[in-house]
Coordinates of all heavy atoms in Angstrom, one line a residue:
M1 N -144.6 -75.4 145.4 CA -145.8 -74.6 145.8 C -146.3 -73.9 144.6 O -145.6 -73.3 143.8 CB -145.4 -73.6 146.9 CG -146.5 -72.7 147.3 SD -146.2 -71.6 148.7 CE -145.0 -70.5 148.1
E2 N -147.6 -73.9 144.4 CA -148.3 -73.2 143.3 C -149.2 -72.2 143.9 O -149.9 -72.4 144.9 CB -149.1 -74.2 142.5 CG -148.3 -75.1 141.6 CD -149.1 -75.8 140.6 OE1 -150.3 -75.7 140.6 OE2 -148.5 -76.6 139.8
I3 N -149.1 -71.0 143.3 CA -150.0 -69.9 143.7 C -150.6 -69.3 142.5 O -150.0 -69.3 141.4 CB -149.4 -68.8 144.6 CG1 -148.3 -68.1 143.8 CG2 -148.8 -69.4 145.9 CD1 -147.8 -66.8 144.5
V4 N -151.8 -68.7 142.6 CA -152.5 -68.0 141.5 C -152.6 -66.6 141.9 O -153.1 -66.2 143.0 CB -153.9 -68.6 141.2 CG1 -154.6 -67.8 140.2 CG2 -153.8 -70.1 140.8
V5 N -152.1 -65.7 141.0 CA -152.1 -64.3 141.3 C -153.1 -63.7 140.3 O -152.9 -63.8 139.1 CB -150.7 -63.6 141.1 CG1 -150.7 -62.2 141.4 CG2 -149.7 -64.3 142.0
D6 N -154.1 -63.0 140.8 CA -155.1 -62.4 139.9 C -154.7 -61.3 139.0 O -154.9 -61.3 137.9 CB -156.3 -62.0 140.7 CG -157.2 -63.2 141.1 OD1 -157.2 -64.2 140.3 OD2 -157.9 -63.1 142.1
N7 N -154.1 -60.2 139.6 CA -153.7 -59.1 138.9 C -152.2 -58.9 138.9 O -151.7 -58.1 139.6 CB -154.4 -57.8 139.4 CG -154.2 -56.6 138.5 OD1 -153.8 -56.8 137.3 ND2 -154.6 -55.5 139.0
F8 N -151.5 -59.8 138.1 CA -150.1 -59.8 138.1 C -149.6 -58.9 137.0 O -149.7 -59.2 135.8 CB -149.6 -61.2 137.8 CG -148.2 -61.5 138.1 CD1 -147.6 -61.4 139.3 CD2 -147.3 -61.8 137.0 CE1 -146.3 -61.6 139.5 CE2 -146.0 -62.1 137.2 CZ -145.5 -61.9 138.5
K9 N -149.0 -57.8 137.4 CA -148.5 -56.8 136.5 C -147.1 -56.4 137.0 O -147.0 -55.3 137.7 CB -149.4 -55.6 136.3 CG -149.0 -54.6 135.2 CD -150.0 -53.6 135.0 CE -149.6 -52.6 133.9 NZ -150.6 -51.6 133.7
P10 N -146.1 -57.2 136.8 CA -144.8 -57.0 137.5 C -143.9 -55.9 136.8 O -144.0 -55.7 135.6 CB -144.1 -58.4 137.4 CG -144.6 -58.9 136.1 CD -146.1 -58.4 136.0
K11 N -143.1 -55.3 137.7 CA -142.0 -54.5 137.2 C -140.8 -55.5 137.1 O -140.6 -56.2 138.1 CB -141.7 -53.3 138.1 CG -142.9 -52.3 138.2 CD -142.6 -51.2 139.1 CE -143.7 -50.3 139.1 NZ -143.9 -49.5 140.3
I12 N -140.1 -55.5 136.0 CA -139.1 -56.4 135.8 C -137.7 -55.8 135.7 O -137.6 -54.8 135.0 CB -139.4 -57.3 134.5 CG1 -140.7 -58.0 134.7 CG2 -138.3 -58.2 134.3 CD1 -141.2 -58.7 133.5
T13 N -136.8 -56.3 136.5 CA -135.4 -55.7 136.5 C -134.6 -56.2 135.3 O -135.0 -57.2 134.7 CB -134.7 -56.1 137.8 OG1 -134.5 -57.5 137.8 CG2 -135.4 -55.7 139.1
R14 N -133.5 -55.5 135.1 CA -132.6 -56.0 134.1 C -131.9 -57.2 134.6 O -131.7 -57.4 135.8 CB -131.6 -54.9 133.8 CG -132.3 -53.7 133.2 CD -131.3 -52.7 132.8 NE -130.8 -53.1 131.5 CZ -129.8 -52.5 130.8 NH1 -129.3 -51.5 131.3 NH2 -129.4 -53.0 129.7
P15 N -131.5 -58.1 133.7 CA -130.8 -59.3 134.2 C -129.5 -59.0 134.9 O -128.8 -58.1 134.5 CB -130.5 -60.1 132.9 CG -131.3 -59.5 131.9 CD -131.6 -58.1 132.3
F16 N -129.2 -59.6 136.0 CA -127.9 -59.5 136.7 C -127.3 -60.8 137.0 O -128.0 -61.8 137.1 CB -128.1 -58.6 137.9 CG -129.0 -59.2 138.9 CD1 -128.6 -60.0 140.0 CD2 -130.4 -58.9 138.9 CE1 -129.5 -60.4 140.9 CE2 -131.3 -59.3 139.8 CZ -130.9 -60.2 140.8
K17 N -126.0 -60.9 137.0 CA -125.3 -62.1 137.2 C -125.1 -62.5 138.6 O -124.7 -61.6 139.4 CB -123.9 -62.1 136.5 CG -123.2 -63.4 136.4 CD -122.0 -63.4 135.6 CE -121.4 -64.8 135.5 NZ -120.2 -64.8 134.6
R18 N -125.4 -63.7 139.0 CA -125.2 -64.2 140.3 C -125.0 -65.7 140.3 O -125.8 -66.4 139.8 CB -126.5 -63.9 141.1 CG -126.3 -64.1 142.6 CD -127.5 -63.4 143.3 NE -127.1 -63.2 144.6 CZ -127.9 -62.6 145.5 NH1 -129.1 -62.3 145.2 NH2 -127.5 -62.5 146.8
K19 N -123.9 -66.1 140.8 CA -123.5 -67.6 140.9 C -123.6 -68.2 139.5 O -124.3 -69.3 139.3 CB -124.5 -68.3 141.9 CG -124.4 -67.8 143.3 CD -125.3 -68.6 144.1 CE -125.3 -68.0 145.5 NZ -126.3 -68.7 146.4
N20 N -123.0 -67.7 138.5 CA -122.9 -68.2 137.1 C -124.3 -68.4 136.5 O -124.5 -69.2 135.6 CB -122.2 -69.6 137.1 CG -120.7 -69.4 137.4 OD1 -120.1 -68.4 137.1 ND2 -120.2 -70.4 138.0
E21 N -125.3 -67.6 137.0 CA -126.6 -67.6 136.4 C -127.0 -66.1 136.2 O -126.4 -65.2 136.8 CB -127.7 -68.2 137.4 CG -127.4 -69.7 137.7 CD -128.4 -70.2 138.7 OE1 -128.6 -69.5 139.7 OE2 -128.8 -71.3 138.6
Y22 N -128.0 -65.9 135.4 CA -128.5 -64.6 135.2 C -129.9 -64.5 135.8 O -130.8 -65.3 135.4 CB -128.5 -64.2 133.7 CG -127.1 -64.1 133.2 CD1 -126.4 -65.2 132.8 CD2 -126.5 -62.9 133.3 CE1 -125.1 -65.1 132.4 CE2 -125.1 -62.7 132.9 CZ -124.5 -63.9 132.4 OH -123.2 -63.7 132.0
W23 N -130.1 -63.6 136.7 CA -131.4 -63.5 137.5 C -132.1 -62.3 137.0 O -131.6 -61.3 136.7 CB -131.1 -63.4 139.0 CG -130.5 -64.6 139.7 CD1 -129.9 -65.6 139.1 CD2 -130.5 -64.8 141.1 NE1 -129.5 -66.5 140.1 CE2 -129.9 -66.0 141.3 CE3 -131.0 -64.1 142.2 CZ2 -129.7 -66.6 142.5 CZ3 -130.8 -64.6 143.4 CH2 -130.2 -65.9 143.6
V24 N -133.5 -62.4 137.0 CA -134.4 -61.3 136.8 C -135.4 -61.3 137.9 O -135.9 -62.3 138.2 CB -135.1 -61.6 135.4 CG1 -136.1 -60.5 135.2 CG2 -134.1 -61.6 134.3
K25 N -135.6 -60.1 138.5 CA -136.6 -60.0 139.5 C -137.9 -59.5 139.0 O -137.9 -58.6 138.2 CB -136.1 -59.1 140.6 CG -135.1 -59.7 141.5 CD -134.8 -58.8 142.7 CE -133.7 -59.4 143.6 NZ -133.5 -58.5 144.8
L26 N -139.0 -60.1 139.4 CA -140.3 -59.6 139.0 C -141.0 -59.1 140.3 O -141.2 -59.8 141.2 CB -141.2 -60.8 138.5 CG -140.9 -61.3 137.1 CD1 -139.6 -62.1 137.0 CD2 -142.0 -62.1 136.5
I27 N -141.2 -57.8 140.4 CA -141.7 -57.2 141.5 C -143.1 -56.7 141.3 O -143.4 -56.0 140.4 CB -140.8 -55.9 141.9 CG1 -139.4 -56.4 142.1 CG2 -141.3 -55.3 143.2 CD1 -138.4 -55.3 142.1
D28 N -144.0 -57.2 142.2 CA -145.5 -57.0 142.0 C -146.0 -56.7 143.4 O -145.4 -56.9 144.4 CB -146.1 -58.3 141.4 CG -147.6 -58.1 141.1 OD1 -147.9 -57.2 140.3 OD2 -148.4 -58.8 141.7
Q29 N -147.3 -56.2 143.4 CA -147.9 -55.9 144.7 C -148.1 -57.2 145.6 O -148.1 -57.1 146.8 CB -149.3 -55.3 144.5 CG -150.2 -56.2 143.8 CD -151.4 -55.4 143.1 OE1 -151.3 -54.2 142.9 NE2 -152.4 -56.1 142.8
S30 N -148.1 -58.4 144.9 CA -148.2 -59.6 145.7 C -146.9 -60.1 146.2 O -146.9 -61.1 147.0 CB -148.8 -60.7 144.8 OG -148.0 -61.0 143.7
G31 N -145.8 -59.6 145.8 CA -144.5 -60.0 146.3 C -143.3 -59.8 145.3 O -143.5 -59.2 144.2
E32 N -142.2 -60.3 145.6 CA -141.0 -60.2 144.8 C -140.6 -61.7 144.4 O -140.4 -62.5 145.3 CB -139.9 -59.5 145.5 CG -138.7 -59.2 144.7 CD -137.7 -58.4 145.5 OE1 -138.0 -57.2 145.8 OE2 -136.6 -58.9 145.7
Y33 N -140.4 -61.9 143.1 CA -140.1 -63.2 142.6 C -138.8 -63.2 141.8 O -138.5 -62.1 141.3 CB -141.3 -63.8 141.7 CG -142.6 -63.7 142.4 CD1 -143.5 -62.7 142.2 CD2 -143.0 -64.7 143.3 CE1 -144.7 -62.6 142.9 CE2 -144.2 -64.7 144.0 CZ -145.0 -63.6 143.8 OH -146.2 -63.6 144.5
V34 N -138.2 -64.3 141.6 CA -136.9 -64.4 140.9 C -137.1 -65.5 139.8 O -137.6 -66.5 140.0 CB -135.7 -64.8 141.8 CG1 -134.5 -65.0 141.0 CG2 -135.6 -63.7 142.9
M35 N -136.6 -65.1 138.6 CA -136.4 -66.1 137.5 C -135.0 -66.2 137.2 O -134.2 -65.2 137.1 CB -137.2 -65.7 136.3 CG -138.7 -65.7 136.4 SD -139.6 -65.3 134.9 CE -139.5 -66.9 134.0
K36 N -134.5 -67.5 137.0 CA -133.1 -67.7 136.7 C -132.9 -68.2 135.3 O -133.7 -69.0 134.8 CB -132.5 -68.8 137.7 CG -132.5 -68.3 139.2 CD -132.0 -69.4 140.1 CE -132.0 -68.9 141.5 NZ -131.5 -70.0 142.4
F37 N -131.8 -67.8 134.7 CA -131.5 -68.2 133.3 C -130.0 -68.5 133.2 O -129.2 -68.1 134.0 CB -131.8 -67.0 132.3 CG -133.3 -66.6 132.4 CD1 -133.7 -65.6 133.2 CD2 -134.2 -67.3 131.6 CE1 -135.0 -65.2 133.2 CE2 -135.6 -67.0 131.7 CZ -136.0 -65.9 132.5
K38 N -129.7 -69.3 132.2 CA -128.3 -69.7 132.0 C -127.5 -68.7 131.2 O -126.3 -68.6 131.4 CB -128.3 -71.0 131.2 CG -128.8 -72.2 132.0 CD -128.8 -73.5 131.2 CE -129.5 -74.6 132.0 NZ -129.6 -75.8 131.2
S39 N -128.1 -67.8 130.4 CA -127.4 -66.8 129.7 C -128.1 -65.5 129.7 O -129.4 -65.5 129.9 CB -127.1 -67.3 128.2 OG -128.3 -67.2 127.5
P40 N -127.4 -64.4 129.4 CA -128.1 -63.1 129.4 C -129.1 -63.0 128.2 O -130.1 -62.4 128.3 CB -127.0 -62.1 129.2 CG -125.8 -62.8 128.8 CD -126.0 -64.2 129.3
L41 N -128.8 -63.8 127.1 CA -129.7 -63.8 126.0 C -131.0 -64.4 126.3 O -132.1 -63.9 125.9 CB -129.0 -64.5 124.8 CG -129.8 -64.5 123.5 CD1 -130.0 -63.1 123.0 CD2 -129.0 -65.3 122.4
E42 N -131.0 -65.5 127.0 CA -132.3 -66.2 127.5 C -133.1 -65.2 128.3 O -134.3 -65.2 128.2 CB -132.0 -67.4 128.3 CG -131.5 -68.6 127.5 CD -131.2 -69.8 128.4 OE1 -131.4 -69.7 129.6 OE2 -130.9 -70.9 127.8
A43 N -132.4 -64.5 129.2 CA -133.1 -63.6 130.1 C -133.8 -62.5 129.3 O -134.9 -62.1 129.5 CB -132.1 -63.0 131.1
E44 N -133.0 -61.9 128.4 CA -133.6 -60.8 127.5 C -134.7 -61.3 126.7 O -135.7 -60.6 126.5 CB -132.5 -60.3 126.6 CG -131.4 -59.5 127.3 CD -131.8 -58.2 127.9 OE1 -132.8 -57.6 127.4 OE2 -131.2 -57.7 128.8
D45 N -134.6 -62.5 126.2 CA -135.7 -63.1 125.4 C -137.0 -63.2 126.2 O -138.1 -63.0 125.7 CB -135.4 -64.5 124.8 CG -134.4 -64.4 123.6 OD1 -134.3 -63.3 123.1 OD2 -133.9 -65.5 123.2
A46 N -136.8 -63.6 127.5 CA -138.0 -63.8 128.4 C -138.6 -62.4 128.7 O -139.8 -62.3 128.6 CB -137.6 -64.5 129.6
I47 N -137.8 -61.4 128.9 CA -138.3 -60.1 129.3 C -139.0 -59.5 128.1 O -140.1 -59.0 128.2 CB -137.1 -59.2 129.7 CG1 -136.6 -59.7 131.0 CG2 -137.6 -57.7 129.8 CD1 -135.3 -59.0 131.4
Y48 N -138.5 -59.5 126.9 CA -139.1 -58.9 125.7 C -140.0 -59.8 125.0 O -140.7 -59.4 124.0 CB -138.0 -58.3 124.8 CG -137.2 -57.2 125.5 CD1 -135.9 -57.4 125.8 CD2 -137.8 -56.1 125.9 CE1 -135.2 -56.4 126.5 CE2 -137.1 -55.1 126.6 CZ -135.8 -55.3 126.8 OH -135.1 -54.3 127.5
G49 N -140.1 -61.1 125.4 CA -141.0 -62.0 124.7 C -142.2 -62.3 125.6 O -143.2 -61.6 125.6
M50 N -142.1 -63.3 126.4 CA -143.2 -63.8 127.2 C -143.6 -62.8 128.3 O -144.8 -62.6 128.5 CB -142.7 -65.1 128.0 CG -143.6 -65.6 129.0 SD -142.9 -66.9 130.0 CE -141.6 -66.1 130.9
L51 N -142.7 -62.1 128.9 CA -143.1 -61.2 130.0 C -143.5 -59.8 129.6 O -144.0 -59.1 130.4 CB -141.9 -61.1 131.0 CG -141.5 -62.4 131.6 CD1 -140.2 -62.2 132.5 CD2 -142.6 -63.0 132.5
D52 N -143.3 -59.5 128.3 CA -143.6 -58.1 127.8 C -145.1 -57.8 128.0 O -145.4 -56.7 128.5 CB -143.2 -58.0 126.4 CG -143.2 -56.6 125.9 OD1 -142.8 -55.7 126.7 OD2 -143.7 -56.3 124.8
D53 N -146.0 -58.7 127.6 CA -147.4 -58.4 127.7 C -147.9 -58.3 129.2 O -148.7 -57.5 129.5 CB -148.2 -59.5 127.0 CG -148.2 -59.4 125.5 OD1 -147.8 -58.3 125.0 OD2 -148.5 -60.4 124.8
L54 N -147.3 -59.1 130.0 CA -147.6 -59.0 131.5 C -147.2 -57.7 132.0 O -147.9 -57.1 132.9 CB -147.0 -60.1 132.3 CG -147.7 -61.5 132.2 CD1 -146.9 -62.5 132.9 CD2 -149.1 -61.4 132.7
Q55 N -146.1 -57.2 131.6 CA -145.6 -55.9 132.1 C -146.5 -54.7 131.7 O -146.8 -53.8 132.5 CB -144.2 -55.5 131.5 CG -143.1 -56.3 132.1 CD -141.8 -55.9 131.5 OE1 -141.2 -54.9 131.9 NE2 -141.3 -56.5 130.4
V56 N -147.0 -54.8 130.5 CA -147.8 -53.7 129.9 C -149.3 -53.8 130.4 O -149.9 -52.9 130.8 CB -147.8 -53.7 128.4 CG1 -148.7 -52.7 127.8 CG2 -146.3 -53.5 127.9
Y57 N -149.9 -55.0 130.2 CA -151.3 -55.2 130.5 C -151.7 -55.9 131.8 O -152.7 -55.6 132.3 CB -152.0 -56.0 129.3 CG -151.7 -55.5 128.0 CD1 -150.9 -56.1 127.1 CD2 -152.3 -54.3 127.6 CE1 -150.7 -55.6 125.8 CE2 -152.0 -53.7 126.3 CZ -151.2 -54.4 125.5 OH -151.0 -53.9 124.2
G58 N -150.9 -56.8 132.3 CA -151.2 -57.5 133.5 C -152.1 -58.7 133.1 O -152.5 -58.9 132.0
G59 N -152.3 -59.6 134.1 CA -153.1 -60.8 133.8 C -153.2 -61.7 135.0 O -152.6 -61.4 136.1
K60 N -153.9 -62.8 134.8 CA -154.0 -63.8 135.9 C -153.0 -64.9 135.6 O -153.0 -65.4 134.5 CB -155.4 -64.3 135.9 CG -155.7 -65.3 137.0 CD -157.2 -65.7 137.0 CE -157.5 -66.6 138.2 NZ -158.9 -66.9 138.2
V61 N -152.1 -65.2 136.5 CA -151.1 -66.2 136.3 C -151.1 -67.3 137.4 O -151.5 -67.0 138.5 CB -149.7 -65.6 136.2 CG1 -149.6 -64.7 135.0 CG2 -149.3 -64.9 137.4
K62 N -150.5 -68.4 137.0 CA -150.3 -69.5 138.0 C -148.7 -69.6 138.1 O -148.1 -69.9 137.1 CB -150.9 -70.8 137.6 CG -150.7 -71.9 138.6 CD -151.0 -73.3 138.1 CE -152.5 -73.4 137.9 NZ -152.9 -74.8 137.5
L63 N -148.2 -69.4 139.3 CA -146.8 -69.5 139.5 C -146.4 -70.8 140.2 O -147.0 -71.1 141.3 CB -146.3 -68.3 140.3 CG -146.5 -66.9 139.7 CD1 -146.1 -65.9 140.7 CD2 -145.8 -66.8 138.4
K64 N -145.5 -71.5 139.7 CA -144.9 -72.7 140.5 C -143.6 -72.2 141.1 O -142.7 -71.9 140.3 CB -144.7 -73.9 139.5 CG -144.4 -75.1 140.2 CD -144.3 -76.3 139.1 CE -144.0 -77.6 139.8 NZ -144.0 -78.7 138.8
L65 N -143.6 -72.2 142.4 CA -142.4 -71.6 143.1 C -141.6 -72.6 143.8 O -142.1 -73.6 144.4 CB -142.9 -70.6 144.1 CG -143.7 -69.4 143.5 CD1 -144.3 -68.6 144.7 CD2 -142.9 -68.5 142.6
K66 N -140.3 -72.4 143.9 CA -139.4 -73.1 144.7 C -139.1 -72.2 145.9 O -139.6 -71.1 146.0 CB -138.0 -73.4 144.0 CG -138.1 -74.4 142.9 CD -136.8 -74.9 142.4 CE -135.9 -73.8 142.0 NZ -134.6 -74.3 141.3
E67 N -138.2 -72.7 146.8 CA -137.9 -72.0 148.0 C -137.2 -70.6 147.6 O -136.4 -70.6 146.7 CB -136.9 -72.8 148.8 CG -136.5 -72.2 150.2 CD -135.6 -73.1 151.0 OE1 -135.7 -74.3 150.9 OE2 -134.8 -72.6 151.7
G68 N -137.5 -69.6 148.3 CA -137.0 -68.3 148.0 C -137.7 -67.5 147.0 O -137.2 -66.6 146.3
N69 N -139.0 -67.9 146.7 CA -139.8 -67.3 145.6 C -139.1 -67.3 144.3 O -139.2 -66.4 143.5 CB -140.1 -65.8 146.0 CG -141.3 -65.8 146.9 OD1 -141.9 -66.8 147.2 ND2 -141.6 -64.6 147.4
V70 N -138.5 -68.4 144.0 CA -137.9 -68.6 142.6 C -138.9 -69.3 141.8 O -139.5 -70.4 142.1 CB -136.6 -69.5 142.7 CG1 -136.0 -69.8 141.4 CG2 -135.5 -68.9 143.6
I71 N -139.2 -68.7 140.6 CA -140.2 -69.2 139.7 C -139.6 -70.4 138.9 O -138.7 -70.2 138.2 CB -140.7 -68.1 138.8 CG1 -141.4 -67.0 139.6 CG2 -141.7 -68.7 137.7 CD1 -141.8 -65.8 138.8
E72 N -140.2 -71.5 139.0 CA -139.9 -72.7 138.2 C -140.7 -72.7 136.9 O -140.2 -73.0 135.9 CB -140.2 -74.0 138.9 CG -139.2 -74.4 140.0 CD -139.5 -75.8 140.5 OE1 -140.7 -76.0 140.9 OE2 -138.6 -76.6 140.6
D73 N -142.0 -72.3 137.0 CA -142.8 -72.3 135.9 C -143.9 -71.2 136.0 O -144.3 -70.9 137.1 CB -143.5 -73.7 135.7 CG -144.3 -73.8 134.4 OD1 -143.9 -73.2 133.4 OD2 -145.4 -74.4 134.5
I74 N -144.2 -70.5 134.9 CA -145.2 -69.5 134.9 C -146.2 -69.8 133.8 O -145.8 -70.0 132.7 CB -144.6 -68.1 134.8 CG1 -145.6 -67.0 134.9 CG2 -143.8 -68.0 133.5 CD1 -145.0 -65.6 135.0
E75 N -147.5 -69.8 134.2 CA -148.5 -70.1 133.2 C -149.5 -68.9 133.2 O -150.1 -68.6 134.2 CB -149.3 -71.4 133.6 CG -150.4 -71.7 132.7 CD -151.2 -72.9 133.2 OE1 -150.7 -73.7 134.0 OE2 -152.4 -73.0 132.8
V76 N -149.7 -68.3 132.1 CA -150.6 -67.2 131.9 C -152.0 -67.8 131.7 O -152.2 -68.4 130.7 CB -150.2 -66.2 130.8 CG1 -151.2 -65.1 130.6 CG2 -148.8 -65.7 131.0
I77 N -152.9 -67.6 132.7 CA -154.2 -68.1 132.6 C -155.1 -67.1 131.7 O -155.9 -67.5 130.9 CB -154.8 -68.3 134.0 CG1 -154.0 -69.3 134.7 CG2 -156.3 -68.7 133.9 CD1 -154.3 -69.4 136.2
E78 N -154.9 -65.8 132.0 CA -155.7 -64.8 131.3 C -154.9 -63.5 131.2 O -154.3 -63.1 132.2 CB -157.0 -64.5 132.1 CG -157.9 -63.5 131.4 CD -159.2 -63.3 132.3 OE1 -159.4 -63.9 133.3 OE2 -160.0 -62.4 131.9
L79 N -154.9 -62.9 130.0 CA -154.2 -61.7 129.8 C -155.2 -60.6 129.7 O -156.2 -60.7 129.0 CB -153.4 -61.8 128.5 CG -152.4 -60.6 128.2 CD1 -151.3 -60.6 129.3 CD2 -151.8 -60.8 126.9
Y80 N -155.0 -59.5 130.5 CA -156.0 -58.4 130.6 C -155.6 -57.4 129.5 O -155.2 -56.3 129.8 CB -156.0 -57.7 131.9 CG -156.3 -58.7 133.1 CD1 -155.7 -58.5 134.3 CD2 -157.2 -59.7 133.0 CE1 -156.0 -59.3 135.4 CE2 -157.5 -60.5 134.0 CZ -156.9 -60.3 135.2 OH -157.2 -61.1 136.3
K81 N -155.8 -57.8 128.3 CA -155.4 -57.0 127.1 C -156.7 -56.3 126.6 O -157.6 -56.9 126.1 CB -154.8 -57.8 126.0 CG -154.1 -57.0 124.9 CD -153.3 -57.9 124.0 CE -152.6 -57.1 123.0 NZ -151.8 -58.0 122.2
P82 N -156.8 -54.9 126.8 CA -158.0 -54.2 126.3 C -158.0 -54.2 124.8 O -157.0 -54.3 124.1 CB -157.8 -52.8 126.9 CG -156.3 -52.7 127.1 CD -155.8 -54.0 127.3
S83 N -159.2 -54.0 124.3 CA -159.4 -53.9 122.8 C -159.0 -52.5 122.4 O -158.8 -51.6 123.2 CB -160.9 -54.1 122.5 OG -161.7 -53.0 123.0
A84 N -158.8 -52.4 121.1 CA -158.4 -51.1 120.5 C -159.5 -50.0 120.9 O -159.1 -48.8 121.1 CB -158.2 -51.2 119.0
K85 N -160.7 -50.4 120.8 CA -161.8 -49.4 121.1 C -161.7 -48.9 122.6 O -161.8 -47.7 122.8 CB -163.2 -50.1 120.9 CG -164.3 -49.1 121.2 CD -165.6 -49.8 121.0 CE -166.8 -49.0 121.2 NZ -166.8 -47.9 122.2
E86 N -161.4 -49.8 123.5 CA -161.2 -49.4 124.9 C -160.1 -48.5 125.1 O -160.1 -47.5 125.8 CB -161.1 -50.7 125.8 CG -162.3 -51.5 125.9 CD -162.1 -52.8 126.6 OE1 -161.0 -53.4 126.5 OE2 -162.9 -53.3 127.4
L87 N -159.0 -48.8 124.4 CA -157.8 -47.9 124.5 C -158.1 -46.5 123.9 O -157.7 -45.5 124.5 CB -156.6 -48.5 123.8 CG -156.0 -49.8 124.4 CD1 -154.9 -50.4 123.4 CD2 -155.3 -49.4 125.7
L88 N -158.8 -46.5 122.8 CA -159.1 -45.1 122.2 C -160.1 -44.4 123.1 O -159.9 -43.2 123.3 CB -159.7 -45.3 120.8 CG -158.7 -45.7 119.7 CD1 -159.5 -46.0 118.4 CD2 -157.7 -44.6 119.5
D89 N -161.1 -45.1 123.7 CA -162.0 -44.4 124.6 C -161.3 -43.9 125.8 O -161.6 -42.7 126.2 CB -163.1 -45.4 125.0 CG -164.1 -45.7 123.9 OD1 -164.1 -45.0 122.9 OD2 -164.8 -46.7 124.0
E90 N -160.4 -44.6 126.3 CA -159.6 -44.2 127.5 C -158.8 -43.0 127.1 O -158.6 -42.0 127.9 CB -158.8 -45.3 128.0 CG -158.0 -45.0 129.3 CD -157.2 -46.2 129.8 OE1 -157.7 -47.3 129.7 OE2 -156.0 -45.9 130.1
Y91 N -158.1 -43.0 126.0 CA -157.2 -42.0 125.5 C -158.0 -40.7 125.4 O -157.5 -39.6 125.8 CB -156.6 -42.4 124.2 CG -155.7 -41.3 123.7 CD1 -154.4 -41.1 124.2 CD2 -156.1 -40.5 122.6 CE1 -153.6 -40.1 123.7 CE2 -155.2 -39.5 122.1 CZ -154.0 -39.3 122.6 OH -153.2 -38.4 122.1
F92 N -159.2 -40.7 124.7 CA -159.9 -39.5 124.4 C -160.8 -39.0 125.6 O -161.2 -37.8 125.5 CB -160.8 -39.7 123.2 CG -160.0 -39.7 121.9 CD1 -159.9 -40.9 121.1 CD2 -159.2 -38.6 121.5 CE1 -159.2 -40.9 120.0 CE2 -158.5 -38.6 120.4 CZ -158.4 -39.8 119.6
T93 N -161.0 -39.8 126.6 CA -161.8 -39.3 127.8 C -160.9 -38.7 128.9 O -161.4 -38.0 129.7 CB -162.6 -40.4 128.4 OG1 -161.8 -41.5 128.7 CG2 -163.7 -40.8 127.4
D94 N -159.6 -38.9 128.8 CA -158.7 -38.4 129.9 C -158.2 -37.1 129.5 O -158.2 -36.1 129.3 CB -157.4 -39.3 130.0 CG -157.8 -40.6 130.7 OD1 -158.9 -40.7 131.3 OD2 -156.9 -41.5 130.7

């Protein structure tokens, strides 16, 4: 099953071991999803690599899911990354 989530800005848990795999939960307003990895190093790489920008900025993603909301593939369609000017304007107006 494939779904498109418009404003995907997940909170990501630390990797935990389950059934000889390392799982990471992505919790968003649209639901709770699981990514599975073979080693804790792969999980950490995903969290601080690919998923880091989504945690901070959010974006539009296409998720390919298996049963139980397990993510098989994640495709970032658009990243909502503001420009430096927008960040400065927001910082100085608050």
Side-chain angles (χ1 to χ4, degrees):
M1 173 174 70
E2 287 187 359
I3 62 168
V4 175
V5 182
D6 279 333
N7 191 11
F8 191 65
K9 189 173 182 181
K11 294 180 180 154
I12 300 175
T13 64
R14 299 186 76 182
F16 58 94
K17 189 172 184 177
R18 192 167 200 182
K19 299 180 184 177
N20 295 328
E21 296 173 320
Y22 292 86
W23 291 18
V24 174
K25 285 189 180 180
L26 287 74
I27 303 165
D28 185 60
Q29 63 200 18
S30 63
E32 189 173 293
Y33 308 97
V34 175
M35 290 182 82
K36 296 180 183 181
F37 300 94
K38 293 179 185 174
S39 72
L41 186 59
E42 285 180 357
E44 292 288 336
D45 283 349
I47 292 170
Y48 296 113
M50 170 188 68
L51 299 173
D52 190 42
D53 286 341
L54 282 176
Q55 289 182 82
V56 175
Y57 303 113
K60 184 176 184 177
V61 296
K62 183 191 293 185
L63 301 174
K64 188 175 183 182
L65 301 173
K66 291 193 303 187
E67 187 176 328
N69 279 354
V70 176
I71 298 174
E72 282 186 311
D73 187 35
I74 182 168
E75 178 187 340
V76 178
I77 298 169
E78 182 182 355
L79 189 62
Y80 302 145
K81 193 170 183 178
S83 68
K85 182 183 181 326
E86 291 172 323
L87 289 172
L88 285 173
D89 289 346
E90 182 179 318
Y91 178 77
F92 287 116
T93 57
D94 288 346

